[in-house]
Amino acid sequence: MIKKVDHIGIAVKSLDKTLPFYTEVLQLPLLGIEEVASEKVRVAFLKAGETKLELLEPLNKESAIAKYIEKRGEGIHHVALRVDSIEERIKEMKEKGIRMINEEPKTGAGGALVAFMHPKSTEGILYELCEKKGMERDHG
Ligand code: ZN
């Protein structure tokens, strides 16, 4: 059911401050920057081969990313697993006793459908299931 690690989400205080490390030191191509108003974040995607890095900058203090940084500091926030038929995967997870943060998929960056699994159900990792509907943008 899992296609690949689609991306790794990294919480940062400032994209402007952090991006040069990725684009100049690591020399990863920047795929785009996008604001996801529903999540109150600004997101930058970098291409690291088959996988992407998703830098998440909070837009304000209400953002879950702002709260995360306040509690744990900057760093790895989640791992995103690419799936097909996300509704079915969510159902399957629930049948296996996994607690979902999102019981219905929501629209994330790049128009992907996403649903997070609760870290209490996954031995401490915040996993995101994500599905790219139709438009196979190398993004999100
Ligand atoms: Zn993500």
Side-chain angles (χ1 to χ4, degrees):
M1 69 170 251
I2 308 292
K3 303 278 178 193
K4 64 173 187 175
V5 174
D6 186 85
H7 63 267
I8 296 170
I10 299 167
V12 302
K13 285 180 188 164
S14 158
L15 286 183
D16 293 342
K17 190 174 152 280
T18 311
L19 270 174
F21 170 73
Y22 290 93
T23 57
E24 287 164 31
V25 180
L26 297 181
Q27 300 188 342
L28 300 177
L30 177 64
L31 296 170
I33 297 183
E34 151 182 17
E35 209 171 283
V36 184
S38 61
E39 300 296 315
K40 304 180 187 79
V41 287
R42 202 155 71 103
V43 180
F45 280 102
L46 296 136
K47 185 172 164 59
E50 278 289 286
T51 302
K52 281 156 283 174
L53 300 179
E54 178 188 55
L55 304 182
L56 302 148
E57 173 197 74
L59 288 177
N60 59 44
K61 285 189 163 138
E62 310 310 309
S63 164
I65 296 298
K67 288 171 189 159
Y68 181 89
I69 291 173
E70 205 174 291
K71 243 167 102 177
R72 307 204 201 181
E74 295 176 292
I76 292 181
H77 177 259
H78 66 271
V79 175
L81 304 170
R82 176 85 72 92
V83 299
D84 281 335
S85 319
I86 191 166
E87 284 94 348
E88 278 172 47
R89 298 289 86 79
I90 292 172
K91 202 171 142 239
E92 201 176 289
M93 287 300 126
K94 286 167 71 182
E95 281 165 7
K96 289 179 176 171
I98 300 294
R99 193 167 136 204
M100 299 297 299
I101 292 172
N102 308 107
E103 304 219 336
E104 301 287 336
K106 56 178 188 171
T107 305
L113 291 176
V114 307
F116 285 91
M117 296 162 80
H118 199 289
K120 287 217 165 92
S121 284
T122 61
E123 315 302 328
I125 309 292
L126 178 60
Y127 281 113
E128 169 191 326
L129 302 178
C130 73
E131 177 182 7
K132 306 290 164 70
K133 271 256 153 95
M135 35 180 248
E136 179 51 35
R137 281 171 69 188
D138 192 32
H139 199 137

